[in-house]
Amino acid sequence: QVQLVESGGGLVETGGSLRLSCAVSGIAASLSNMGWYRQAPGKQRELVASITTGALGGGIDYANAVKGRFTISRDDAKNTVFLQMNSLKPEDTAVYYCRVTRTAWPFDVHWGQGTQVTVSS
């Protein structure tokens, strides 16, 4: 059974930092593309950052709104993906979700339960 457990969310002031972690079990992170998404109240879930497997080049992509402030990384030995968030803004307030996509059969997709990030103005 695949499980994703996010941690690191919380309340922070504008300009502050948080580091989110997503621990993955039941699937090899090295065989998976990994990403962070977020969903603010009344809005659709959106991609924040993604990182492909090492075999696919470890390519990284960011939403324009977070470029230069957020950094995604992965530690395949620990089956964990991270999101370092700096210079946080009130508009970053959302529930942040980790997503894992297996790059081999059955190419399944899994989501974490989400962690709340609140940035006060």
Side-chain angles (χ1 to χ4, degrees), residues 3-7 20-24 34-36 78-83 97-100 111-112:
Q3 287 188 319
L4 283 65
V5 179
E6 297 113 332
S7 61
L20 305 183
S21 299
C22 175
V24 181
M34 308 176 88
W36 287 96
K78 296 182 178 179
N79 251 27
T80 302
V81 61
F82 305 96
L83 185 68
Y97 297 90
C98 175
R99 183 177 116 158
V100 169
W111 293 87

Side-chain angles (χ1 to χ4, degrees), residues 81-102:
V81 61
F82 305 96
L83 185 68
Q84 178 66 43
M85 304 186 295
N86 298 328
S87 301
L88 282 161
K89 305 175 181 180
E91 51 263 44
D92 294 319
T93 296
V95 178
Y96 284 70
Y97 297 90
C98 175
R99 183 177 116 158
V100 169
T101 304
R102 199 190 314 249

Side-chain angles (χ1 to χ4, degrees), residues 55-118:
L56 294 176
I60 292 175
D61 191 27
Y62 295 101
N64 287 334
V66 307
K67 282 181 180 177
R69 300 188 297 121
F70 290 11
T71 302
I72 188 172
S73 62
R74 58 190 297 157
D75 185 337
D76 288 347
K78 296 182 178 179
N79 251 27
T80 302
V81 61
F82 305 96
L83 185 68
Q84 178 66 43
M85 304 186 295
N86 298 328
S87 301
L88 282 161
K89 305 175 181 180
E91 51 263 44
D92 294 319
T93 296
V95 178
Y96 284 70
Y97 297 90
C98 175
R99 183 177 116 158
V100 169
T101 304
R102 199 190 314 249
T103 57
W105 182 264
F107 303 103
D108 44 326
V109 178
H110 302 273
W111 293 87
Q113 80 288 352
T115 184
Q116 177 70 46
V117 171
T118 302

